[in-house]
Structure formats: C-alpha cells, structure tokens
Amino acid sequence: MESGIPVVSYARISADNRGDEHGVRDQHKVNRETAARLGWTVVAEFTDNDKSAAKADVYRDDFEAMLKVLKAGKLPDGRPVQGVVIVAEDRLARRPGDYERFVEAITYKDGRVYADARGSKDLYSEDTESMGLFGAVISKMEVRKMQRRMRRSHQARAEQGKPVGGPRPFGWLPDRLTLHPEEAPLLRKAALDFAGGRSLDSIVKEWRRHGVLTSRGNPWIRMTLRSALANPRLCGWRAIGGELVRDAKGEPIVGQWEPILTPEEWQAVMAVMNARKGHWVNRDGSVGSPIPTDQREHRYLLSGILRCGKPKPEGGICNKPLRCRPGKSGVGPHVYLCPGKSDGGCGGISRRGDKIDEFISEALLASLEEKELRRRKERPAAWAGEKELNAAKKRLDELSAQWDEDKISNELFFKLAPQLEKKIARLRAERDKHQASIERARVRAALDVEDLRRRWYIPEEEGGLPISTKRAYLREAFHAIIVRPAVRGRRDFDPDLLEPIWRED
Ligand SMILES: [Zn+2]
C-alpha cells in the first residue's frame, strides 16, 4: 500500500554535463529520499538523456510526458499525481520556455507540491525570490493567472473553516471553539443593543462599570468593542484581509466554532456599523444622508436634534442646532438654547427642556406604535435580484471551466471574468443589505414597542434605555426639529411652536 502525497521523480542528464546512467539512478535515489523525508511517495520516474541528442530541437519525451501527467493530475493508468521531486532546478531547464511550461503544468491545479534535494518549496508563496530561478519564472509568468490560483489555494485553507492563531477571541474559551459562559451572552447582548441603535460608548461604559475585561485583561475601549462586533466570527464566518471567505458557490464558509449570533443578526450589526460611518441608515438598509456623529455620550435627549427656528432679518431661519444647559443649581429643568453669535448662533431661543423632551418622545413613540401595527400586517418582500445573481454565478462557473480546459484564451477570460465578478459582488452586496434590513426590522420589532415605551421613561439603572439608544431612535425618525420662537408674552408650552421634520420611509 502506498501512502503519502503521490509525486513523480524527474531526472535528466544534460549533454554538457558528463553524466551517465549512474547519474540518473543517483538522481532518482535522491528524489525518493527527499520524498520520503517529506512524507510523499514517488509513484513514477521520468528520465531524459540529452546526451543522446544534443540538438536544440530535440523533443524531450519524458519531460513532455511528465508535463501531461502534471496537467492531468494523474498517470495514464489513473493513479493520482500531485507534485514533482527533482534534485535541483537546473535539471529541468534545457530550452527557454521549459520552465514556463513546467510551472504552468504544475500549478494547473490547486494544492500541488514541489521539492528539490534541499526541501519542499511553496509554489503559492508570494515570496518568489526565495525560490530562485523557479521563482523568477513564476513572477515573470502570467501574474494574474498565478495570483488567481494562489488566491484559490489560500481560500482552500480558509474554506476548511478552521480557527486561526492569535489571542483568544472574547466570547470563546481558549480552545477558540466553545462559547465562554459569561462573555458570550454579554457580547450577544451588546451586538443586539448596537443593532438596535445603542452607542458603542454606552456599552463600553456599562462594561467598564461592571469590570468586564478584554480577553487580554484590559478594560474595554470603543475601538476594541467596535472590532469585536465587526468580526464575522460572531456568526461563524471568517474573513481574510477584510473580505469574507466564501466557497465556490459564493456563500460564506461556516467555521467549526459555536456562533454567538445568526448571520442575519451579524449583518444587522454591520448594516448599522457601515451606516454609522457618518451616514444614516434608511429603513431598507440603504445608506442615507450624512449625520453629525453622535460619538460622545449625550446627557440630553434632544441637543443637536433641535434647531433654532428664529427668522433671520435677511430671510430664512437661524437653523443652528440647539445646545443644552443644565437646570439652575441642578434642580430646575434643563434648557435648550441657541448658542450666541460668537458661536455661530443667534442666541434668540431658549426653551424649557423637560416639556419638549416629553412632547417629542410621545410623538416618536406614537409613530413607532403605528408603524409596528402596519409592519405586523406586512410580510417582508423577497429580494428581486436572486435570479440575476444565480445567472451571473452560473456564467462565471462556465467561463472558469472553459478557461481551466483551455477552451478560451487568457485574454478573453480576463476580460470577461472581472466584469462578472464585479456584478456578482454588487448583487451579493445588495442581497446582504436586503437581508440585513429585514433582520434590522425584526430586531427592532423584537424590542417590542410596548416594552420600548416602558423603558423609555425609567432610569437606565432600572433597565431603562440609555440616552444614546433613545437618540438613535429620534435621529432615525427626524431629520431635525425646528423650534419656533414664542409669541411675546406667552409663557405656556406650545407644541405648535415645535416643527418636527420627519424622515420619509
Ligand atoms: Zn438661533
């Protein structure tokens, strides 16, 4: 019984080298030893003797036969072949072009191995310099074709979904597979809260308050939480260089570790995160207009959301976002006011905060309740692009197969494939976005509007919503709220002076 990776041994006696039959046997012997050392098995030997025909146009029978075997990945009798062992690379080349043809043949399929007497060489290494002449040929050769194969090879490793090295990820035990009994639920709650609009700062504050530490024993900061939530590992997927690892069908590879979120939940997190890069998320998950970032923890519900509505002498309104001033000696109600002229405002508006907060909160909750009623009656629409995506995937598969079988030229393939790949990536992004928006709606609905109303008005320590979550709801509902100046003499709270600018959905 043969075991180990099946390889062929190649030997050559060059015309200018005073070798003999002995030399050939020696080369094969060295090759067998090299193979054995690497755990490979020599399944066939190929030998060329250039001494017998030194002319340049000599046809090297065994060399050509070996290239065929390598390209096919099997011997004529069907036994598989996955690589080549030679004594030294100068044994391969005789004519210009031999190296290229050899490299082309051996890299024709993924997972090929190659070694000389000094040891095995990584054909897919990007460090071609360490591979000497062989590497020089590889780098000179069709780079894109090689890169494509390399990419596939890296993919093959990642496709096994095996966890990689590095520090223990927060949420998992040191085996990196099993969920951590305390950390995993914390991380899950943080992710869902974040998807529901809670700010990173607010979560970090809570964790610090409870003494939660990172897997390296450090206090959490905004950035570490952000990267923990952005890690596709949360839902069992993995990424290389920021790109999700996908299988041949384009679906993300699922790892062997226990997930903390479903893929849909994680996509909802990412939809919020991507949209937070300075933009609003619309209800359908698309990115809306830029927002002023709510990075620091706001202490008041509506600062920055209210805007000054005092008319300017030259027409229009002041429109400066209102600031908030704490109540007098910490007991009176807070006050929203337009900053003074030196700060770009008009200083012409000043309003009791508690009444406005309550009025706007009620307006928001009523609108959410109404929307929730409507949503319960609707079913989410299916994504319209599924057919187009499948057609594009199929076309790319066909094209790749044709290219693999040399039925179409490199030129044509590299002209057509990138276009299709781009299209597939675009459609896939659209699909993910669509799914994320459905999931976002579900996560939001799960919070349940009734519960939302209850938690809106109780302090955070008693399970109430953090200000940042409430602000996220408000920002999603309103572009802004214009505060019109009061009519002189009237001191009552007059809701007609508040003009909410609702976002359409
Ligand atoms: Zn103003």
Side-chain angles (χ1 to χ4, degrees):
M1 272 291 287
E2 282 167 352
S3 63
I5 297 176
V7 293
V8 298
S9 166
Y10 180 75
R12 180 170 69 90
I13 295 181
S14 58
D16 49 359
N17 236 9
R18 294 177 187 279
D20 54 15
E21 288 304 313
H22 231 89
V24 168
R25 278 205 299 278
D26 287 346
Q27 285 180 41
H28 284 306
K29 181 163 174 278
V30 170
N31 290 349
R32 277 196 304 276
E33 285 164 3
T34 305
R37 213 165 54 236
L38 294 165
W40 305 349
T41 306
V42 172
V43 292
E45 290 177 355
F46 292 88
T47 310
D48 280 308
N49 187 350
D50 292 351
K51 258 172 82 173
S52 55
K55 283 182 192 152
D57 59 353
V58 71
Y59 185 78
R60 292 164 62 196
D61 286 330
D62 270 22
F63 184 75
E64 301 302 330
M66 178 176 71
L67 295 192
K68 269 191 197 144
V69 163
L70 285 176
K71 221 167 167 182
K74 59 187 181 201
L75 293 166
D77 64 10
R79 278 181 297 161
V81 169
Q82 284 182 41
V84 177
V85 185
I86 56 172
V87 170
E89 62 188 14
D90 64 0
R91 288 289 142 186
L92 274 173
R94 216 186 74 86
R95 289 180 299 183
D98 279 358
Y99 268 123
E100 282 84 346
R101 292 196 304 130
F102 176 75
V103 169
E104 177 70 37
I106 195 168
T107 60
Y108 196 73
K109 292 207 167 86
D110 287 338
R112 291 301 178 71
V113 296
Y114 165 75
D116 64 21
R118 285 177 300 166
S120 118
K121 310 229 169 168
D122 182 3
L123 289 170
Y124 306 96
S125 162
E126 273 156 66
D127 178 20
T128 46
E129 253 175 64
S130 67
M131 295 192 47
L133 191 49
F134 200 79
V137 171
I138 289 179
S139 60
K140 207 177 74 185
M141 273 183 62
E142 245 227 85
V143 174
R144 281 182 303 177
K145 199 160 187 168
M146 287 300 297
Q147 282 169 340
R148 206 180 160 81
R149 294 207 166 113
M150 277 180 219
R151 224 170 40 226
R152 284 204 210 149
S153 158
H154 291 162
Q155 185 110 6
R157 279 170 239 169
E159 275 176 15
Q160 294 163 10
K162 289 194 174 136
V164 286
R168 171 181 78 83
F170 183 86
W172 284 266
L173 294 177
D175 69 2
R176 312 172 67 85
L177 298 170
T178 319
L179 292 183
H180 190 291
E182 285 133 42
E183 292 176 2
L186 275 175
L187 196 53
R188 177 173 170 77
K189 182 173 180 302
L192 295 181
D193 282 358
F194 178 78
R198 189 173 176 188
S199 74
L200 291 172
D201 276 345
S202 160
I203 298 166
V204 164
K205 267 192 177 173
E206 186 189 320
W207 283 14
R208 291 179 81 121
R209 219 165 38 231
H210 292 121
V212 181
L213 298 176
T214 67
S215 63
R216 288 173 157 174
N218 298 316
W220 284 86
I221 56 169
R222 192 186 149 73
M223 214 167 49
T224 42
L225 179 61
R226 189 189 163 83
S227 75
L229 294 183
N231 193 343
R233 167 176 250 281
L234 255 55
C235 70
W237 293 349
R238 62 167 301 205
I240 294 179
E243 292 262 325
L244 280 183
V245 180
R246 296 176 187 273
D247 64 17
K249 292 224 154 51
E251 301 306 326
I253 301 296
V254 177
Q256 295 164 358
W257 54 89
E258 291 180 60
I260 284 177
L261 300 174
T262 66
E264 293 76 20
E265 286 165 343
W266 181 71
Q267 285 174 316
V269 168
M270 290 314 288
V272 172
M273 200 170 284
N274 292 332
R276 286 262 178 97
K277 284 177 186 159
H279 286 83
W280 285 105
V281 211
N282 297 323
R283 281 260 179 226
D284 64 359
S286 62
V287 175
S289 52
I291 45 169
T293 43
D294 213 22
Q295 294 205 336
R296 61 194 183 85
E297 185 78 354
H298 278 266
R299 290 176 57 205
Y300 298 98
L301 198 62
L302 295 170
S303 40
I305 297 174
L306 298 175
R307 283 170 179 267
C308 176
K310 188 170 176 168
K312 286 198 286 192
E314 66 269 29
I317 57 167
C318 165
N319 204 30
K320 183 80 183 166
L322 299 191
R323 294 181 184 165
C324 195
R325 195 184 62 205
K328 291 240 159 64
S329 34
V331 283
H334 53 282
V335 173
Y336 292 112
L337 44 89
C338 184
K341 288 210 171 68
S342 57
D343 283 333
C346 70
I349 291 262
S350 155
R351 213 53 78 72
R352 255 183 84 152
D354 54 350
K355 299 269 191 189
I356 296 187
D357 287 356
E358 192 192 336
F359 178 78
I360 295 298
S361 293
E362 280 305 310
L364 172 82
L365 289 168
S367 111
L368 289 176
E369 278 155 358
E370 194 221 309
K371 263 182 213 153
E372 179 55 22
L373 278 179
R374 247 191 293 149
R375 200 175 298 138
R376 276 181 201 169
K377 290 177 193 157
E378 289 166 10
R379 283 177 156 268
W383 182 57
E386 197 70 51
K387 235 180 175 173
E388 199 185 351
L389 175 61
N390 288 337
K393 278 191 205 166
K394 197 171 157 229
R395 178 81 188 104
L396 183 62
D397 282 349
E398 288 165 0
L399 206 61
S400 300
Q402 286 172 337
W403 177 68
D404 271 340
E405 289 158 25
D406 284 340
K407 283 182 187 156
I408 56 170
S409 68
N410 284 344
E411 199 181 38
L412 185 62
F413 179 74
F414 284 110
K415 204 178 121 198
L416 295 177
Q419 293 170 3
L420 277 167
E421 282 166 344
K422 234 187 227 166
K423 186 176 182 186
I424 291 170
R426 177 178 58 79
L427 287 167
R428 203 174 268 149
E430 274 177 24
R431 183 193 58 187
D432 290 351
K433 224 180 236 176
H434 178 82
Q435 283 170 351
S437 75
I438 291 176
E439 187 56 27
R440 253 168 74 75
R442 203 185 64 77
V443 169
R444 282 283 170 81
L447 274 177
D448 187 21
V449 184
E450 249 172 72
D451 186 51
L452 186 75
R453 173 177 280 283
R454 185 182 61 79
R455 294 177 65 202
W456 194 273
Y457 290 114
I458 56 176
E460 200 182 327
E461 304 81 64
E462 293 162 29
L465 292 173
I467 285 269
S468 64
T469 304
K470 293 198 246 183
R471 286 180 59 92
Y473 276 99
L474 289 161
R475 283 172 170 280
E476 198 174 86
F478 304 107
H479 281 294
I481 298 155
I482 310 290
V483 183
R484 302 280 180 195
V487 179
R488 199 177 289 274
R490 281 199 62 176
R491 309 217 61 182
D492 298 344
F493 171 75
D494 181 359
D496 289 345
L497 297 178
L498 292 175
E499 187 189 324
I501 316 285
W502 294 90
R503 285 178 191 280
E504 302 299 324
D505 57 352

PDB file of all heavy atoms in Angstrom, residues 10 43 79 111 142 144 148 152 157 177 187 189 195 262 287 336 349 366 410 429:
ATOM      1  N   TYR A  10      11.770  13.269 -11.300  1.00  0.00           N
ATOM      2  CA  TYR A  10      12.288  13.597 -12.631  1.00  0.00           C
ATOM      3  C   TYR A  10      13.809  13.718 -12.582  1.00  0.00           C
ATOM      4  O   TYR A  10      14.362  14.333 -11.660  1.00  0.00           O
ATOM      5  CB  TYR A  10      11.683  14.917 -13.142  1.00  0.00           C
ATOM      6  CG  TYR A  10      12.200  15.304 -14.515  1.00  0.00           C
ATOM      7  CD1 TYR A  10      11.747  14.639 -15.650  1.00  0.00           C
ATOM      8  CD2 TYR A  10      13.157  16.300 -14.659  1.00  0.00           C
ATOM      9  CE1 TYR A  10      12.232  14.967 -16.908  1.00  0.00           C
ATOM     10  CE2 TYR A  10      13.652  16.640 -15.909  1.00  0.00           C
ATOM     11  CZ  TYR A  10      13.187  15.964 -17.039  1.00  0.00           C
ATOM     12  OH  TYR A  10      13.673  16.283 -18.274  1.00  0.00           O
ATOM     13  N   VAL A  43       5.552   7.873  -7.295  1.00  0.00           N
ATOM     14  CA  VAL A  43       4.728   6.862  -7.969  1.00  0.00           C
ATOM     15  C   VAL A  43       5.193   6.598  -9.403  1.00  0.00           C
ATOM     16  O   VAL A  43       4.725   5.660 -10.040  1.00  0.00           O
ATOM     17  CB  VAL A  43       3.230   7.261  -7.975  1.00  0.00           C
ATOM     18  CG1 VAL A  43       2.674   7.228  -6.548  1.00  0.00           C
ATOM     19  CG2 VAL A  43       3.035   8.631  -8.594  1.00  0.00           C
ATOM     20  N   ARG A  79      -3.585   6.580 -11.712  1.00  0.00           N
ATOM     21  CA  ARG A  79      -3.129   6.873 -10.351  1.00  0.00           C
ATOM     22  C   ARG A  79      -2.869   8.382 -10.217  1.00  0.00           C
ATOM     23  O   ARG A  79      -2.278   8.985 -11.111  1.00  0.00           O
ATOM     24  CB  ARG A  79      -1.835   6.107 -10.050  1.00  0.00           C
ATOM     25  CG  ARG A  79      -2.091   4.657  -9.638  1.00  0.00           C
ATOM     26  CD  ARG A  79      -0.788   3.952  -9.334  1.00  0.00           C
ATOM     27  NE  ARG A  79       0.070   3.877 -10.514  1.00  0.00           N
ATOM     28  CZ  ARG A  79       1.383   3.654 -10.464  1.00  0.00           C
ATOM     29  NH1 ARG A  79       1.989   3.499  -9.296  1.00  0.00           N
ATOM     30  NH2 ARG A  79       2.094   3.591 -11.575  1.00  0.00           N
ATOM     31  N   GLY A 111      -3.139  22.981  -4.879  1.00  0.00           N
ATOM     32  CA  GLY A 111      -2.649  22.006  -3.904  1.00  0.00           C
ATOM     33  C   GLY A 111      -1.469  21.181  -4.385  1.00  0.00           C
ATOM     34  O   GLY A 111      -1.206  20.099  -3.875  1.00  0.00           O
ATOM     35  N   GLU A 142       2.564  34.697 -16.279  1.00  0.00           N
ATOM     36  CA  GLU A 142       1.283  35.364 -16.188  1.00  0.00           C
ATOM     37  C   GLU A 142       0.873  35.579 -14.749  1.00  0.00           C
ATOM     38  O   GLU A 142       0.366  34.683 -14.090  1.00  0.00           O
ATOM     39  CB  GLU A 142       0.264  34.490 -16.868  1.00  0.00           C
ATOM     40  CG  GLU A 142      -0.238  35.214 -18.042  1.00  0.00           C
ATOM     41  CD  GLU A 142      -1.698  35.159 -18.080  1.00  0.00           C
ATOM     42  OE1 GLU A 142      -2.310  36.022 -17.421  1.00  0.00           O
ATOM     43  OE2 GLU A 142      -2.190  34.278 -18.731  1.00  0.00           O
ATOM     44  N   ARG A 144      -1.344  37.379 -13.231  1.00  0.00           N
ATOM     45  CA  ARG A 144      -2.731  37.336 -12.789  1.00  0.00           C
ATOM     46  C   ARG A 144      -3.235  35.908 -12.646  1.00  0.00           C
ATOM     47  O   ARG A 144      -3.966  35.567 -11.742  1.00  0.00           O
ATOM     48  CB  ARG A 144      -3.618  38.084 -13.777  1.00  0.00           C
ATOM     49  CG  ARG A 144      -3.542  39.571 -13.573  1.00  0.00           C
ATOM     50  CD  ARG A 144      -4.451  40.277 -14.521  1.00  0.00           C
ATOM     51  NE  ARG A 144      -4.126  39.913 -15.897  1.00  0.00           N
ATOM     52  CZ  ARG A 144      -4.803  40.338 -16.941  1.00  0.00           C
ATOM     53  NH1 ARG A 144      -5.847  41.090 -16.780  1.00  0.00           N
ATOM     54  NH2 ARG A 144      -4.456  40.002 -18.164  1.00  0.00           N
ATOM     55  N   ARG A 148      -4.483  34.293  -9.202  1.00  0.00           N
ATOM     56  CA  ARG A 148      -5.798  33.706  -9.115  1.00  0.00           C
ATOM     57  C   ARG A 148      -5.708  32.325  -8.474  1.00  0.00           C
ATOM     58  O   ARG A 148      -6.497  31.966  -7.627  1.00  0.00           O
ATOM     59  CB  ARG A 148      -6.355  33.578 -10.534  1.00  0.00           C
ATOM     60  CG  ARG A 148      -7.829  33.581 -10.583  1.00  0.00           C
ATOM     61  CD  ARG A 148      -8.281  33.448 -12.007  1.00  0.00           C
ATOM     62  NE  ARG A 148      -9.654  32.985 -11.974  1.00  0.00           N
ATOM     63  CZ  ARG A 148     -10.672  33.784 -11.770  1.00  0.00           C
ATOM     64  NH1 ARG A 148     -10.497  35.063 -11.601  1.00  0.00           N
ATOM     65  NH2 ARG A 148     -11.891  33.298 -11.725  1.00  0.00           N
ATOM     66  N   ARG A 152      -7.040  31.032  -4.774  1.00  0.00           N
ATOM     67  CA  ARG A 152      -7.851  29.839  -4.577  1.00  0.00           C
ATOM     68  C   ARG A 152      -7.230  28.928  -3.536  1.00  0.00           C
ATOM     69  O   ARG A 152      -7.915  28.279  -2.768  1.00  0.00           O
ATOM     70  CB  ARG A 152      -7.951  29.076  -5.894  1.00  0.00           C
ATOM     71  CG  ARG A 152      -8.904  29.704  -6.857  1.00  0.00           C
ATOM     72  CD  ARG A 152      -9.352  28.613  -7.779  1.00  0.00           C
ATOM     73  NE  ARG A 152      -9.665  29.123  -9.099  1.00  0.00           N
ATOM     74  CZ  ARG A 152      -9.495  28.407 -10.203  1.00  0.00           C
ATOM     75  NH1 ARG A 152      -8.961  27.201 -10.140  1.00  0.00           N
ATOM     76  NH2 ARG A 152      -9.846  28.892 -11.345  1.00  0.00           N
ATOM     77  N   ARG A 157      -7.487  26.714   2.215  1.00  0.00           N
ATOM     78  CA  ARG A 157      -7.144  26.565   3.624  1.00  0.00           C
ATOM     79  C   ARG A 157      -8.227  27.170   4.504  1.00  0.00           C
ATOM     80  O   ARG A 157      -8.652  26.580   5.482  1.00  0.00           O
ATOM     81  CB  ARG A 157      -5.810  27.252   3.922  1.00  0.00           C
ATOM     82  CG  ARG A 157      -4.628  26.378   3.521  1.00  0.00           C
ATOM     83  CD  ARG A 157      -3.353  27.168   3.606  1.00  0.00           C
ATOM     84  NE  ARG A 157      -2.706  27.204   2.293  1.00  0.00           N
ATOM     85  CZ  ARG A 157      -1.695  27.988   1.992  1.00  0.00           C
ATOM     86  NH1 ARG A 157      -1.222  28.826   2.881  1.00  0.00           N
ATOM     87  NH2 ARG A 157      -1.161  27.944   0.806  1.00  0.00           N
ATOM     88  N   LEU A 177     -13.279  27.419  20.272  1.00  0.00           N
ATOM     89  CA  LEU A 177     -14.432  26.775  19.645  1.00  0.00           C
ATOM     90  C   LEU A 177     -15.680  26.862  20.522  1.00  0.00           C
ATOM     91  O   LEU A 177     -16.789  27.061  20.028  1.00  0.00           O
ATOM     92  CB  LEU A 177     -14.136  25.284  19.380  1.00  0.00           C
ATOM     93  CG  LEU A 177     -12.980  24.967  18.438  1.00  0.00           C
ATOM     94  CD1 LEU A 177     -12.661  23.481  18.472  1.00  0.00           C
ATOM     95  CD2 LEU A 177     -13.310  25.418  17.015  1.00  0.00           C
ATOM     96  N   LEU A 187     -21.518  39.571  24.943  1.00  0.00           N
ATOM     97  CA  LEU A 187     -21.218  40.022  23.582  1.00  0.00           C
ATOM     98  C   LEU A 187     -22.478  39.996  22.719  1.00  0.00           C
ATOM     99  O   LEU A 187     -22.711  40.883  21.902  1.00  0.00           O
ATOM    100  CB  LEU A 187     -20.127  39.118  22.981  1.00  0.00           C
ATOM    101  CG  LEU A 187     -19.398  39.624  21.740  1.00  0.00           C
ATOM    102  CD1 LEU A 187     -18.824  41.007  21.962  1.00  0.00           C
ATOM    103  CD2 LEU A 187     -18.299  38.649  21.346  1.00  0.00           C
ATOM    104  N   LYS A 189     -25.569  40.346  23.756  1.00  0.00           N
ATOM    105  CA  LYS A 189     -26.449  41.454  24.131  1.00  0.00           C
ATOM    106  C   LYS A 189     -25.923  42.770  23.552  1.00  0.00           C
ATOM    107  O   LYS A 189     -26.685  43.572  23.022  1.00  0.00           O
ATOM    108  CB  LYS A 189     -26.561  41.543  25.651  1.00  0.00           C
ATOM    109  CG  LYS A 189     -27.497  42.649  26.107  1.00  0.00           C
ATOM    110  CD  LYS A 189     -27.743  42.632  27.609  1.00  0.00           C
ATOM    111  CE  LYS A 189     -28.693  43.750  28.027  1.00  0.00           C
ATOM    112  NZ  LYS A 189     -28.211  45.092  27.665  1.00  0.00           N
ATOM    113  N   ALA A 195     -27.153  46.911  17.266  1.00  0.00           N
ATOM    114  CA  ALA A 195     -28.002  46.855  16.068  1.00  0.00           C
ATOM    115  C   ALA A 195     -29.303  47.618  16.290  1.00  0.00           C
ATOM    116  O   ALA A 195     -29.905  48.126  15.362  1.00  0.00           O
ATOM    117  CB  ALA A 195     -28.294  45.401  15.694  1.00  0.00           C
ATOM    118  N   THR A 262     -26.739  34.835  14.789  1.00  0.00           N
ATOM    119  CA  THR A 262     -27.062  34.263  13.482  1.00  0.00           C
ATOM    120  C   THR A 262     -26.435  35.175  12.428  1.00  0.00           C
ATOM    121  O   THR A 262     -26.163  36.352  12.709  1.00  0.00           O
ATOM    122  CB  THR A 262     -28.585  34.222  13.235  1.00  0.00           C
ATOM    123  OG1 THR A 262     -29.057  35.574  13.150  1.00  0.00           O
ATOM    124  CG2 THR A 262     -29.310  33.499  14.358  1.00  0.00           C
ATOM    125  N   VAL A 287     -27.862  53.399   2.607  1.00  0.00           N
ATOM    126  CA  VAL A 287     -27.229  54.467   3.365  1.00  0.00           C
ATOM    127  C   VAL A 287     -27.818  55.798   2.958  1.00  0.00           C
ATOM    128  O   VAL A 287     -27.910  56.116   1.776  1.00  0.00           O
ATOM    129  CB  VAL A 287     -25.704  54.445   3.148  1.00  0.00           C
ATOM    130  CG1 VAL A 287     -25.063  55.634   3.837  1.00  0.00           C
ATOM    131  CG2 VAL A 287     -25.136  53.147   3.677  1.00  0.00           C
ATOM    132  N   TYR A 336     -32.934  74.158  26.550  1.00  0.00           N
ATOM    133  CA  TYR A 336     -32.323  74.132  25.216  1.00  0.00           C
ATOM    134  C   TYR A 336     -32.214  75.564  24.735  1.00  0.00           C
ATOM    135  O   TYR A 336     -33.180  76.333  24.848  1.00  0.00           O
ATOM    136  CB  TYR A 336     -33.188  73.325  24.245  1.00  0.00           C
ATOM    137  CG  TYR A 336     -33.228  71.845  24.565  1.00  0.00           C
ATOM    138  CD1 TYR A 336     -34.393  71.234  25.020  1.00  0.00           C
ATOM    139  CD2 TYR A 336     -32.082  71.051  24.401  1.00  0.00           C
ATOM    140  CE1 TYR A 336     -34.433  69.877  25.298  1.00  0.00           C
ATOM    141  CE2 TYR A 336     -32.123  69.688  24.684  1.00  0.00           C
ATOM    142  CZ  TYR A 336     -33.293  69.105  25.127  1.00  0.00           C
ATOM    143  OH  TYR A 336     -33.321  67.782  25.405  1.00  0.00           O
ATOM    144  N   ILE A 349     -33.201  81.889  21.060  1.00  0.00           N
ATOM    145  CA  ILE A 349     -34.187  80.885  21.502  1.00  0.00           C
ATOM    146  C   ILE A 349     -33.701  80.241  22.783  1.00  0.00           C
ATOM    147  O   ILE A 349     -32.519  79.908  22.914  1.00  0.00           O
ATOM    148  CB  ILE A 349     -34.349  79.782  20.430  1.00  0.00           C
ATOM    149  CG1 ILE A 349     -35.044  80.325  19.188  1.00  0.00           C
ATOM    150  CG2 ILE A 349     -35.084  78.580  21.001  1.00  0.00           C
ATOM    151  CD1 ILE A 349     -36.508  80.055  19.097  1.00  0.00           C
ATOM    152  N   ALA A 366     -45.584  57.276  19.458  1.00  0.00           N
ATOM    153  CA  ALA A 366     -46.849  57.096  18.739  1.00  0.00           C
ATOM    154  C   ALA A 366     -46.588  56.675  17.305  1.00  0.00           C
ATOM    155  O   ALA A 366     -47.261  55.795  16.770  1.00  0.00           O
ATOM    156  CB  ALA A 366     -47.654  58.397  18.782  1.00  0.00           C
ATOM    157  N   ASN A 410      -6.644  33.295 -22.379  1.00  0.00           N
ATOM    158  CA  ASN A 410      -6.463  34.089 -21.165  1.00  0.00           C
ATOM    159  C   ASN A 410      -7.045  35.486 -21.356  1.00  0.00           C
ATOM    160  O   ASN A 410      -7.673  36.047 -20.468  1.00  0.00           O
ATOM    161  CB  ASN A 410      -4.976  34.243 -20.836  1.00  0.00           C
ATOM    162  CG  ASN A 410      -4.413  32.967 -20.247  1.00  0.00           C
ATOM    163  OD1 ASN A 410      -5.175  32.092 -19.812  1.00  0.00           O
ATOM    164  ND2 ASN A 410      -3.109  32.855 -20.244  1.00  0.00           N
ATOM    165  N   ALA A 429     -23.883  42.081  -2.501  1.00  0.00           N
ATOM    166  CA  ALA A 429     -23.957  43.161  -1.510  1.00  0.00           C
ATOM    167  C   ALA A 429     -25.404  43.644  -1.376  1.00  0.00           C
ATOM    168  O   ALA A 429     -25.886  43.894  -0.275  1.00  0.00           O
ATOM    169  CB  ALA A 429     -23.046  44.315  -1.922  1.00  0.00           C
TER     170      ALA A 429
END
